[in-house]
Amino acid sequence: GAGVSQSPSNKVTEKGKDVELRCDPISGHTALYWYRQSLGQGLEFLIYFQGNSAPDKSGLPSDRFSAERTGGSVSTLTIQRTQQEDSAVYLCASSLGPGQETQYFGPGTRLLVL
Amino acid sequence: TQLLEQSPQFLSIQEGENLTVYCNSSSVFSSLQWYRQEPGEGPVLLVTVVTGGEVKKLKRLTFQFGDARKDSSLHITAAQPGDTGLYLCAGHRNNQGGKLIFGQGTELSVKP
């Protein structure tokens, strides 16, 4: 079956513009995660959705970052008024359920803010 | 400060050599995972260890979870060029749902 997909695969934007990044999780997976990865580095947790529960937003770096998950499936990560330090790879993952289920990652969206 | 300290960050070795990557923390983790990531792709899970002192083997890769569940290691025997990639450790902590805390990663290059 299809894995986690993300779009766009690459995004170049100008400082101050808003961007939307999309994640399509594996069908039937109730948990969805967003992470950020700087060049050659480990991943930094951003936000976590589990079913109909309130999302865990504890990793969002500023109020310019927000995310939603519609209908328990597709998720959109929005970055408003982008800054150069927002340049990174944004990775989405999904898992069957909450807790320590295996997370399956998408290929990421490479964001470059000029 | 990094909750999971991974070392070394870069490793360049010759084919056939052995290597060990370390992942250390002052905090207890309910489980530790190791991932491998290729350029342009997301991380792929290699193994999960959940019990203190646990050792798991995956072909030439040996994973160990420390007795106190604060550290882990990945040992590769007779490295091959196909082992080249970014290796990441990541842990789950109790009462934090499914979110993973990642180490900084180890960029491994195995030269033929």
Side-chain angles (χ1 to χ4, degrees):
Chain A
V4 177
S5 60
Q6 293 186 244
S7 60
S9 51
N10 293 281
K11 177 72 177 178
V12 180
T13 190
E14 293 180 349
K15 178 181 171 181
K17 296 281 180 70
D18 297 351
V19 294
E20 285 189 353
L21 313 179
R22 177 187 167 106
C23 172
D24 280 87
I26 294 173
S27 178
H29 281 194
T30 63
L32 186 147
Y33 308 81
W34 284 97
Y35 296 88
R36 178 169 71 174
Q37 184 175 31
S38 299
L39 186 63
Q41 296 295 305
L43 281 66
E44 171 192 15
F45 167 78
L46 296 177
I47 188 169
Y48 159 45
F49 296 90
Q50 171 51 45
N52 295 320
S53 303
D56 177 351
K57 305 179 182 180
S58 60
L60 294 178
S62 78
D63 58 8
R64 295 186 296 104
F65 287 72
S66 62
E68 61 178 23
R69 188 178 186 193
T70 52
S73 182
V74 171
S75 178
T76 302
L77 177 69
T78 301
I79 308 173
Q80 295 179 308
R81 306 181 301 282
T82 52
Q83 304 294 313
Q84 289 182 331
E85 60 263 28
D86 299 334
S87 297
V89 177
Y90 290 82
L91 289 153
C92 174
S94 69
S95 65
L96 264 176
Q100 299 174 20
E101 299 273 354
T102 298
Q103 295 183 23
Y104 297 87
F105 285 83
T109 293
R110 281 144 199 81
L111 174 66
L112 178 61
V113 182
L114 300 176
Chain B
T1 56
Q2 190 80 20
L3 195 57
L4 265 177
E5 293 285 344
Q6 191 172 338
S7 63
Q9 286 192 263
F10 300 95
L11 194 51
S12 181
I13 61 172
Q14 293 296 128
E15 181 176 1
E17 292 183 0
N18 301 332
L19 67 115
T20 302
V21 179
Y22 299 93
C23 190
N24 296 299
S25 177
S26 57
S27 299
V28 174
F29 287 86
S30 54
S31 69
L32 234 297
Q33 299 182 328
W34 287 90
Y35 290 81
R36 181 179 163 190
Q37 186 177 20
E38 304 272 8
E41 298 179 9
V44 175
L45 181 66
L46 295 174
V47 77
T48 300
V49 285
V50 297
T51 305
E54 182 175 5
V55 177
K56 282 192 174 179
K57 293 194 173 187
L58 189 65
K59 296 183 181 178
R60 292 176 294 100
L61 279 60
T62 302
F63 305 86
Q64 187 162 5
F65 201 10
D67 291 342
R69 291 188 287 132
K70 294 182 180 181
D71 55 85
S72 181
S73 63
L74 157 61
H75 182 78
I76 302 179
T77 303
Q80 304 293 311
D83 296 327
T84 294
L86 179 67
Y87 290 81
L88 296 155
C89 66
H92 282 111
R93 300 190 69 194
N94 283 333
N95 304 318
Q96 292 197 6
K99 77 179 184 186
L100 283 167
I101 296 168
F102 280 83
Q104 307 98 313
T106 295
E107 189 73 56
L108 172 64
S109 174
V110 182
K111 301 188 187 310

